[in-house]
Amino acid sequence: MIKTSQSKKIIIANWKMNPKTANEALNLFDSVKKSAEKLKNVQTVICPPDIFLGEIAKKKRGKKVSIGAQDVSVMKKGAFTGEISVAMLKNLGVEYVIVGHSERRALGDSNEIVYEKLKLVLDAGIKAILCVGEKERNETGEYFEFLARQIKSAASADLKGKIKNLIIAYEPIWAIGKTADEAIDASSLHEMVLFIKKVLTEIFGKTAADKTSVLYGGSVENENADDLIKNSEINGFLVGHESLDAEKISEILEVVNESQ
Ligand code: PGA
């Protein structure tokens, strides 16, 4: 067992393009907040669509629940129709920003863009959740190389001074949006965590790598959360579809809280 220095686990609730109305969003936030506030060992980060961030930010109280954004503009400021800057997010009280989610990469975010966004977020003193993960696996294990390239192109050595705010979310695309039995198993995940730590050590050195949280995302449900959190050395989860159901995400939060 490797010992990680992070005692508190992190659960990111990524709502993606849901729900449809502000009312539903506020209700979901309230319910999750109620459960999350009782838990000592978990930091819960709710990432609603930007359009609801302002209202939700007003309701945020206390330290156990944070709000996050699902993406940020690669541009700092100016005439960029439809974009939302890191300064705008910061002004709302956003403490976390997801960068390089596979669904953003599929819409055009290259490794270079992901690096630029990561730098902007870290420069602003906000925690960045850098998503990485292979599309598929084959017998020859090329996905290890792919993953190393993805990490190194974004989390590059010039960011070393700011990486206390860096979180890595390992999200293999083949496991996203499915069910618990199609997600990764705990021993394969453990292998990936060790590999990611090794890559981070190559870039930033061992001390910094040890301190960097590595999360897992991809069909995390109540059914697999317990096994994954106990047997893979991850520091938490990035949860998609299950985070839209207050009861289900609360169960995951409790399982993780109890896993200490
Ligand atoms: P999922 O999504 O939990 O629905 O698989 C995870 C993600 O894409 O972040």
Side-chain angles (χ1 to χ4, degrees), residues 45-46 53-54 56-58 60-62 65-69 85-97 125-127:
V45 183
I46 311 277
L53 270 176
I56 287 180
K58 281 188 215 153
K60 194 196 102 59
R61 301 263 184 285
V65 180
S66 306
I67 54 169
S85 74
V86 74
M88 292 170 176
L89 295 176
K90 190 166 183 167
N91 279 329
L92 275 185
V94 166
E95 295 163 88
Y96 292 75
V97 178
I126 298 178
K127 291 187 171 60

Side-chain angles (χ1 to χ4, degrees), residues 14 16 101-103 131 171 175-178 217-220 238-242:
N14 178 15
K16 306 191 179 183
H101 190 281
S102 57
E103 287 152 13
C131 295
E171 297 211 304
I176 292 179
K178 305 220 167 113
S219 301
V220 175
L238 199 158
V239 185
H241 62 272
E242 291 280 281

Side-chain angles (χ1 to χ4, degrees), residues 226-247:
D226 189 49
D227 182 31
L228 293 178
I229 201 79
K230 284 185 181 151
N231 299 313
S232 68
E233 304 288 341
I234 37 158
N235 304 113
F237 297 127
L238 199 158
V239 185
H241 62 272
E242 291 280 281
S243 72
L244 297 170
D245 181 318
E247 226 169 275

